[in-house]
Amino acid sequence: MLQLPSRLMKSLSLSTAPATAALQELAAAHSPGVARVVLKKGKTQLFKDGSPMVYSGAVDRIVGRPPPRTGDVVLVADGAEKPIGWGLYNSVSMFSVRLMQLEEETTGNPSCALNVEKLLEERIEAAVKLRKSLGLPSVRTNAYRLINSEGDRLSGLIVDVFGDLAVVASSAAWVEKYKTEIEACISKISAINHISWRPSIEMLKEEGLDVSKLQEMQPSTCPKRTKVLENGIAYVISLDGQKTGFYADQRENRQFISTVCDGRRVLDLCCYSGGFSLNAVRGGAVEVLGIDTSLPALELARENIALNRLDPARISFLKEDATVFMKSALLRNESWDIVILDPPKLAPKRKALKSALGMYRNLNSLAMRLTKKGGLLMTCSCSGAMTQSGMFIKTLQGAASAAGRRATILRQSGAACDHPIDPSYPEGEYLSNILLRVF
């Protein structure tokens, strides 16, 4: 048999590959016609390598009349107008296209090419299968993330499941456009009986939507509160609470805290509804104090004490700003064996990182000063900009210096395994937890 040089074989395989032609043919047959978003020179490889968001600065021109409208299916093409994939367009957002499939994927799965409804069905089914393979839901845990935006290749869509209730957080115009189709897919999941739709108003404003016209698709039968289990601990969740109502991403880190708290005093800063605090008490902590500025969150936390039949003499909650509390506690010469610091997202975008670094440094410096020598500080960041900048550890080093303390890293962890991330998108919520021993 004649053996051709490998380089020639590769050239032949590329020249005869049907992927581009197939996508072009599908686009030609599509009604209405499909516009092309043509990338600038040198930008194509970034998106071929997997970056899911085509930012406006990468776009050279748009080919097609009439021009595409927000939410329309478009082809993404290189400078020669050869398609590299397809996605959903936005005429206003800094992200012009959210890529849904690359051209080689359309060859392997042509039924989803340019077909948002079919793609939703397959991606949501894949997400359900992934969570089942991770043991979710289970007898001990029925609160988990089903869809994690870019991590499940549905950029702008988050779905958290709390028992028989699915909470949908929408942060992209295309998600709002396909609301009915998304709800139909979720309704097919056997355990789901209720769906609550929660538009992320500020993010949707940046998407160019008139948020005054947004209507929550929340049937009258959808409960405003529900109860869930996480690692055997019961929680009351309010749908009027922060984000989707519960921070399932910290599940594995909360369980870890329960393994190191026996006989110790614990301070839980920015405690929300008491997740770390409840685990600390379950783990044998002799005294736990949770601090948060949200009164509704603390009311849930106190309900959770009773719900789990915990000793109220060992766990309490206080409404106060974390920084104010820490400064006053230092004046009283107080300290704790274990301090947990889980602040809100301080760097929502990369441009906010510089100011956020100072806030993280100050918060952690105060927390280190409140940690007994030889004690533990678990410090958290949910800012993707911070995690991907590589500055978190350097910021903690600066915090230790400012506190006049020394710290060693014992453990680094991220979000729970049902929160897959796409590292090519730096502005998502990528949890980073670091456990320090403070001297």
mmCIF file with all atom_site columns, all heavy atoms in Angstrom, residues 384-405:
data_model
loop_
_atom_site.group_PDB
_atom_site.id
_atom_site.type_symbol
_atom_site.label_atom_id
_atom_site.label_alt_id
_atom_site.label_comp_id
_atom_site.label_asym_id
_atom_site.label_entity_id
_atom_site.label_seq_id
_atom_site.pdbx_PDB_ins_code
_atom_site.Cartn_x
_atom_site.Cartn_y
_atom_site.Cartn_z
_atom_site.occupancy
_atom_site.B_iso_or_equiv
_atom_site.pdbx_formal_charge
_atom_site.auth_seq_id
_atom_site.auth_comp_id
_atom_site.auth_asym_id
_atom_site.auth_atom_id
_atom_site.pdbx_PDB_model_num
ATOM 1   N N   . GLY A 1 384 ? -13.824 35.763 39.747 1.00 0.00 ? 384 GLY A N   1
ATOM 2   C CA  . GLY A 1 384 ? -13.015 35.136 38.714 1.00 0.00 ? 384 GLY A CA  1
ATOM 3   C C   . GLY A 1 384 ? -11.810 35.981 38.351 1.00 0.00 ? 384 GLY A C   1
ATOM 4   O O   . GLY A 1 384 ? -10.721 35.463 38.083 1.00 0.00 ? 384 GLY A O   1
ATOM 5   N N   . ALA A 1 385 ? -11.975 37.306 38.358 1.00 0.00 ? 385 ALA A N   1
ATOM 6   C CA  . ALA A 1 385 ? -10.861 38.195 38.030 1.00 0.00 ? 385 ALA A CA  1
ATOM 7   C C   . ALA A 1 385 ? -9.723  38.026 39.028 1.00 0.00 ? 385 ALA A C   1
ATOM 8   O O   . ALA A 1 385 ? -8.548  38.064 38.656 1.00 0.00 ? 385 ALA A O   1
ATOM 9   C CB  . ALA A 1 385 ? -11.340 39.643 38.011 1.00 0.00 ? 385 ALA A CB  1
ATOM 10  N N   . MET A 1 386 ? -10.050 37.836 40.295 1.00 0.00 ? 386 MET A N   1
ATOM 11  C CA  . MET A 1 386 ? -9.022  37.626 41.317 1.00 0.00 ? 386 MET A CA  1
ATOM 12  C C   . MET A 1 386 ? -8.351  36.266 41.134 1.00 0.00 ? 386 MET A C   1
ATOM 13  O O   . MET A 1 386 ? -7.116  36.154 41.120 1.00 0.00 ? 386 MET A O   1
ATOM 14  C CB  . MET A 1 386 ? -9.655  37.723 42.713 1.00 0.00 ? 386 MET A CB  1
ATOM 15  C CG  . MET A 1 386 ? -8.743  37.281 43.850 1.00 0.00 ? 386 MET A CG  1
ATOM 16  S SD  . MET A 1 386 ? -7.275  38.312 44.031 1.00 0.00 ? 386 MET A SD  1
ATOM 17  C CE  . MET A 1 386 ? -7.883  39.548 45.182 1.00 0.00 ? 386 MET A CE  1
ATOM 18  N N   . THR A 1 387 ? -9.149  35.228 40.965 1.00 0.00 ? 387 THR A N   1
ATOM 19  C CA  . THR A 1 387 ? -8.604  33.878 40.829 1.00 0.00 ? 387 THR A CA  1
ATOM 20  C C   . THR A 1 387 ? -7.670  33.784 39.627 1.00 0.00 ? 387 THR A C   1
ATOM 21  O O   . THR A 1 387 ? -6.559  33.268 39.726 1.00 0.00 ? 387 THR A O   1
ATOM 22  C CB  . THR A 1 387 ? -9.742  32.856 40.688 1.00 0.00 ? 387 THR A CB  1
ATOM 23  O OG1 . THR A 1 387 ? -10.587 32.941 41.845 1.00 0.00 ? 387 THR A OG1 1
ATOM 24  C CG2 . THR A 1 387 ? -9.198  31.449 40.577 1.00 0.00 ? 387 THR A CG2 1
ATOM 25  N N   . GLN A 1 388 ? -8.119  34.312 38.484 1.00 0.00 ? 388 GLN A N   1
ATOM 26  C CA  . GLN A 1 388 ? -7.328  34.167 37.265 1.00 0.00 ? 388 GLN A CA  1
ATOM 27  C C   . GLN A 1 388 ? -6.151  35.131 37.198 1.00 0.00 ? 388 GLN A C   1
ATOM 28  O O   . GLN A 1 388 ? -5.213  34.905 36.436 1.00 0.00 ? 388 GLN A O   1
ATOM 29  C CB  . GLN A 1 388 ? -8.224  34.337 36.045 1.00 0.00 ? 388 GLN A CB  1
ATOM 30  C CG  . GLN A 1 388 ? -9.221  33.201 35.890 1.00 0.00 ? 388 GLN A CG  1
ATOM 31  C CD  . GLN A 1 388 ? -9.607  32.982 34.456 1.00 0.00 ? 388 GLN A CD  1
ATOM 32  O OE1 . GLN A 1 388 ? -9.276  33.760 33.582 1.00 0.00 ? 388 GLN A OE1 1
ATOM 33  N NE2 . GLN A 1 388 ? -10.296 31.903 34.199 1.00 0.00 ? 388 GLN A NE2 1
ATOM 34  N N   . SER A 1 389 ? -6.164  36.173 38.007 1.00 0.00 ? 389 SER A N   1
ATOM 35  C CA  . SER A 1 389 ? -5.039  37.105 38.015 1.00 0.00 ? 389 SER A CA  1
ATOM 36  C C   . SER A 1 389 ? -3.810  36.509 38.688 1.00 0.00 ? 389 SER A C   1
ATOM 37  O O   . SER A 1 389 ? -2.696  36.988 38.500 1.00 0.00 ? 389 SER A O   1
ATOM 38  C CB  . SER A 1 389 ? -5.428  38.404 38.739 1.00 0.00 ? 389 SER A CB  1
ATOM 39  O OG  . SER A 1 389 ? -5.531  38.178 40.147 1.00 0.00 ? 389 SER A OG  1
ATOM 40  N N   . GLY A 1 390 ? -4.045  35.464 39.514 1.00 0.00 ? 390 GLY A N   1
ATOM 41  C CA  . GLY A 1 390 ? -2.941  34.888 40.273 1.00 0.00 ? 390 GLY A CA  1
ATOM 42  C C   . GLY A 1 390 ? -2.520  35.751 41.449 1.00 0.00 ? 390 GLY A C   1
ATOM 43  O O   . GLY A 1 390 ? -1.469  35.508 42.061 1.00 0.00 ? 390 GLY A O   1
ATOM 44  N N   . MET A 1 391 ? -3.347  36.759 41.791 1.00 0.00 ? 391 MET A N   1
ATOM 45  C CA  . MET A 1 391 ? -2.974  37.720 42.827 1.00 0.00 ? 391 MET A CA  1
ATOM 46  C C   . MET A 1 391 ? -3.491  37.370 44.217 1.00 0.00 ? 391 MET A C   1
ATOM 47  O O   . MET A 1 391 ? -3.152  38.045 45.189 1.00 0.00 ? 391 MET A O   1
ATOM 48  C CB  . MET A 1 391 ? -3.494  39.114 42.444 1.00 0.00 ? 391 MET A CB  1
ATOM 49  C CG  . MET A 1 391 ? -2.821  39.720 41.230 1.00 0.00 ? 391 MET A CG  1
ATOM 50  S SD  . MET A 1 391 ? -1.077  40.070 41.523 1.00 0.00 ? 391 MET A SD  1
ATOM 51  C CE  . MET A 1 391 ? -1.199  41.368 42.751 1.00 0.00 ? 391 MET A CE  1
ATOM 52  N N   . PHE A 1 392 ? -4.307  36.322 44.328 1.00 0.00 ? 392 PHE A N   1
ATOM 53  C CA  . PHE A 1 392 ? -4.932  36.053 45.628 1.00 0.00 ? 392 PHE A CA  1
ATOM 54  C C   . PHE A 1 392 ? -3.876  35.712 46.685 1.00 0.00 ? 392 PHE A C   1
ATOM 55  O O   . PHE A 1 392 ? -3.871  36.283 47.787 1.00 0.00 ? 392 PHE A O   1
ATOM 56  C CB  . PHE A 1 392 ? -5.957  34.932 45.494 1.00 0.00 ? 392 PHE A CB  1
ATOM 57  C CG  . PHE A 1 392 ? -6.912  34.808 46.667 1.00 0.00 ? 392 PHE A CG  1
ATOM 58  C CD1 . PHE A 1 392 ? -7.177  35.883 47.490 1.00 0.00 ? 392 PHE A CD1 1
ATOM 59  C CD2 . PHE A 1 392 ? -7.553  33.606 46.932 1.00 0.00 ? 392 PHE A CD2 1
ATOM 60  C CE1 . PHE A 1 392 ? -8.064  35.784 48.556 1.00 0.00 ? 392 PHE A CE1 1
ATOM 61  C CE2 . PHE A 1 392 ? -8.437  33.483 47.996 1.00 0.00 ? 392 PHE A CE2 1
ATOM 62  C CZ  . PHE A 1 392 ? -8.685  34.566 48.813 1.00 0.00 ? 392 PHE A CZ  1
ATOM 63  N N   . ILE A 1 393 ? -2.971  34.804 46.360 1.00 0.00 ? 393 ILE A N   1
ATOM 64  C CA  . ILE A 1 393 ? -1.951  34.418 47.339 1.00 0.00 ? 393 ILE A CA  1
ATOM 65  C C   . ILE A 1 393 ? -1.037  35.601 47.654 1.00 0.00 ? 393 ILE A C   1
ATOM 66  O O   . ILE A 1 393 ? -0.688  35.838 48.825 1.00 0.00 ? 393 ILE A O   1
ATOM 67  C CB  . ILE A 1 393 ? -1.153  33.205 46.838 1.00 0.00 ? 393 ILE A CB  1
ATOM 68  C CG1 . ILE A 1 393 ? -2.056  31.952 46.846 1.00 0.00 ? 393 ILE A CG1 1
ATOM 69  C CG2 . ILE A 1 393 ? 0.087   32.960 47.694 1.00 0.00 ? 393 ILE A CG2 1
ATOM 70  C CD1 . ILE A 1 393 ? -1.393  30.713 46.291 1.00 0.00 ? 393 ILE A CD1 1
ATOM 71  N N   . LYS A 1 394 ? -0.661  36.375 46.639 1.00 0.00 ? 394 LYS A N   1
ATOM 72  C CA  . LYS A 1 394 ? 0.187   37.545 46.879 1.00 0.00 ? 394 LYS A CA  1
ATOM 73  C C   . LYS A 1 394 ? -0.533  38.552 47.780 1.00 0.00 ? 394 LYS A C   1
ATOM 74  O O   . LYS A 1 394 ? 0.087   39.183 48.659 1.00 0.00 ? 394 LYS A O   1
ATOM 75  C CB  . LYS A 1 394 ? 0.557   38.198 45.555 1.00 0.00 ? 394 LYS A CB  1
ATOM 76  C CG  . LYS A 1 394 ? 1.515   39.376 45.692 1.00 0.00 ? 394 LYS A CG  1
ATOM 77  C CD  . LYS A 1 394 ? 1.961   39.915 44.339 1.00 0.00 ? 394 LYS A CD  1
ATOM 78  C CE  . LYS A 1 394 ? 3.021   39.040 43.736 1.00 0.00 ? 394 LYS A CE  1
ATOM 79  N NZ  . LYS A 1 394 ? 3.643   39.670 42.530 1.00 0.00 ? 394 LYS A NZ  1
ATOM 80  N N   . THR A 1 395 ? -1.851  38.684 47.578 1.00 0.00 ? 395 THR A N   1
ATOM 81  C CA  . THR A 1 395 ? -2.644  39.582 48.418 1.00 0.00 ? 395 THR A CA  1
ATOM 82  C C   . THR A 1 395 ? -2.656  39.090 49.858 1.00 0.00 ? 395 THR A C   1
ATOM 83  O O   . THR A 1 395 ? -2.558  39.884 50.808 1.00 0.00 ? 395 THR A O   1
ATOM 84  C CB  . THR A 1 395 ? -4.082  39.690 47.878 1.00 0.00 ? 395 THR A CB  1
ATOM 85  O OG1 . THR A 1 395 ? -4.041  40.204 46.549 1.00 0.00 ? 395 THR A OG1 1
ATOM 86  C CG2 . THR A 1 395 ? -4.931  40.608 48.744 1.00 0.00 ? 395 THR A CG2 1
ATOM 87  N N   . LEU A 1 396 ? -2.753  37.781 50.045 1.00 0.00 ? 396 LEU A N   1
ATOM 88  C CA  . LEU A 1 396 ? -2.726  37.215 51.393 1.00 0.00 ? 396 LEU A CA  1
ATOM 89  C C   . LEU A 1 396 ? -1.356  37.407 52.053 1.00 0.00 ? 396 LEU A C   1
ATOM 90  O O   . LEU A 1 396 ? -1.270  37.623 53.267 1.00 0.00 ? 396 LEU A O   1
ATOM 91  C CB  . LEU A 1 396 ? -3.087  35.734 51.347 1.00 0.00 ? 396 LEU A CB  1
ATOM 92  C CG  . LEU A 1 396 ? -4.522  35.409 50.882 1.00 0.00 ? 396 LEU A CG  1
ATOM 93  C CD1 . LEU A 1 396 ? -4.739  33.907 50.804 1.00 0.00 ? 396 LEU A CD1 1
ATOM 94  C CD2 . LEU A 1 396 ? -5.550  36.052 51.810 1.00 0.00 ? 396 LEU A CD2 1
ATOM 95  N N   . GLN A 1 397 ? -0.299  37.337 51.258 1.00 0.00 ? 397 GLN A N   1
ATOM 96  C CA  . GLN A 1 397 ? 1.034   37.608 51.799 1.00 0.00 ? 397 GLN A CA  1
ATOM 97  C C   . GLN A 1 397 ? 1.123   39.046 52.294 1.00 0.00 ? 397 GLN A C   1
ATOM 98  O O   . GLN A 1 397 ? 1.681   39.316 53.371 1.00 0.00 ? 397 GLN A O   1
ATOM 99  C CB  . GLN A 1 397 ? 2.092   37.357 50.713 1.00 0.00 ? 397 GLN A CB  1
ATOM 100 C CG  . GLN A 1 397 ? 2.260   35.883 50.360 1.00 0.00 ? 397 GLN A CG  1
ATOM 101 C CD  . GLN A 1 397 ? 3.144   35.678 49.133 1.00 0.00 ? 397 GLN A CD  1
ATOM 102 O OE1 . GLN A 1 397 ? 3.299   36.575 48.313 1.00 0.00 ? 397 GLN A OE1 1
ATOM 103 N NE2 . GLN A 1 397 ? 3.712   34.486 49.014 1.00 0.00 ? 397 GLN A NE2 1
ATOM 104 N N   . GLY A 1 398 ? 0.566   39.968 51.515 1.00 0.00 ? 398 GLY A N   1
ATOM 105 C CA  . GLY A 1 398 ? 0.541   41.361 51.931 1.00 0.00 ? 398 GLY A CA  1
ATOM 106 C C   . GLY A 1 398 ? -0.300  41.569 53.180 1.00 0.00 ? 398 GLY A C   1
ATOM 107 O O   . GLY A 1 398 ? 0.051   42.369 54.059 1.00 0.00 ? 398 GLY A O   1
ATOM 108 N N   . ALA A 1 399 ? -1.413  40.828 53.267 1.00 0.00 ? 399 ALA A N   1
ATOM 109 C CA  . ALA A 1 399 ? -2.280  40.924 54.445 1.00 0.00 ? 399 ALA A CA  1
ATOM 110 C C   . ALA A 1 399 ? -1.554  40.438 55.693 1.00 0.00 ? 399 ALA A C   1
ATOM 111 O O   . ALA A 1 399 ? -1.658  41.042 56.773 1.00 0.00 ? 399 ALA A O   1
ATOM 112 C CB  . ALA A 1 399 ? -3.549  40.112 54.220 1.00 0.00 ? 399 ALA A CB  1
ATOM 113 N N   . ALA A 1 400 ? -0.807  39.350 55.568 1.00 0.00 ? 400 ALA A N   1
ATOM 114 C CA  . ALA A 1 400 ? -0.053  38.809 56.710 1.00 0.00 ? 400 ALA A CA  1
ATOM 115 C C   . ALA A 1 400 ? 1.002   39.800 57.173 1.00 0.00 ? 400 ALA A C   1
ATOM 116 O O   . ALA A 1 400 ? 1.194   40.024 58.381 1.00 0.00 ? 400 ALA A O   1
ATOM 117 C CB  . ALA A 1 400 ? 0.584   37.477 56.323 1.00 0.00 ? 400 ALA A CB  1
ATOM 118 N N   . SER A 1 401 ? 1.679   40.432 56.219 1.00 0.00 ? 401 SER A N   1
ATOM 119 C CA  . SER A 1 401 ? 2.697   41.420 56.562 1.00 0.00 ? 401 SER A CA  1
ATOM 120 C C   . SER A 1 401 ? 2.085   42.603 57.298 1.00 0.00 ? 401 SER A C   1
ATOM 121 O O   . SER A 1 401 ? 2.614   43.071 58.313 1.00 0.00 ? 401 SER A O   1
ATOM 122 C CB  . SER A 1 401 ? 3.407   41.881 55.293 1.00 0.00 ? 401 SER A CB  1
ATOM 123 O OG  . SER A 1 401 ? 4.352   42.879 55.565 1.00 0.00 ? 401 SER A OG  1
ATOM 124 N N   . ALA A 1 402 ? 0.935   43.073 56.789 1.00 0.00 ? 402 ALA A N   1
ATOM 125 C CA  . ALA A 1 402 ? 0.261   44.208 57.423 1.00 0.00 ? 402 ALA A CA  1
ATOM 126 C C   . ALA A 1 402 ? -0.236  43.865 58.820 1.00 0.00 ? 402 ALA A C   1
ATOM 127 O O   . ALA A 1 402 ? -0.292  44.731 59.699 1.00 0.00 ? 402 ALA A O   1
ATOM 128 C CB  . ALA A 1 402 ? -0.903  44.665 56.552 1.00 0.00 ? 402 ALA A CB  1
ATOM 129 N N   . ALA A 1 403 ? -0.582  42.598 59.021 1.00 0.00 ? 403 ALA A N   1
ATOM 130 C CA  . ALA A 1 403 ? -1.080  42.157 60.326 1.00 0.00 ? 403 ALA A CA  1
ATOM 131 C C   . ALA A 1 403 ? 0.042   41.832 61.303 1.00 0.00 ? 403 ALA A C   1
ATOM 132 O O   . ALA A 1 403 ? -0.212  41.584 62.486 1.00 0.00 ? 403 ALA A O   1
ATOM 133 C CB  . ALA A 1 403 ? -1.974  40.931 60.145 1.00 0.00 ? 403 ALA A CB  1
ATOM 134 N N   . GLY A 1 404 ? 1.283   41.836 60.789 1.00 0.00 ? 404 GLY A N   1
ATOM 135 C CA  . GLY A 1 404 ? 2.405   41.434 61.629 1.00 0.00 ? 404 GLY A CA  1
ATOM 136 C C   . GLY A 1 404 ? 2.371   39.954 61.958 1.00 0.00 ? 404 GLY A C   1
ATOM 137 O O   . GLY A 1 404 ? 2.864   39.518 63.007 1.00 0.00 ? 404 GLY A O   1
ATOM 138 N N   . ARG A 1 405 ? 1.806   39.175 61.049 1.00 0.00 ? 405 ARG A N   1
ATOM 139 C CA  . ARG A 1 405 ? 1.669   37.733 61.259 1.00 0.00 ? 405 ARG A CA  1
ATOM 140 C C   . ARG A 1 405 ? 2.362   36.974 60.127 1.00 0.00 ? 405 ARG A C   1
ATOM 141 O O   . ARG A 1 405 ? 2.729   37.552 59.101 1.00 0.00 ? 405 ARG A O   1
ATOM 142 C CB  . ARG A 1 405 ? 0.191   37.322 61.314 1.00 0.00 ? 405 ARG A CB  1
ATOM 143 C CG  . ARG A 1 405 ? -0.660  38.097 62.296 1.00 0.00 ? 405 ARG A CG  1
ATOM 144 C CD  . ARG A 1 405 ? -0.264  37.880 63.746 1.00 0.00 ? 405 ARG A CD  1
ATOM 145 N NE  . ARG A 1 405 ? -0.621  36.560 64.217 1.00 0.00 ? 405 ARG A NE  1
ATOM 146 C CZ  . ARG A 1 405 ? -1.811  36.243 64.748 1.00 0.00 ? 405 ARG A CZ  1
ATOM 147 N NH1 . ARG A 1 405 ? -2.762  37.166 64.838 1.00 0.00 ? 405 ARG A NH1 1
ATOM 148 N NH2 . ARG A 1 405 ? -2.057  35.026 65.178 1.00 0.00 ? 405 ARG A NH2 1
#
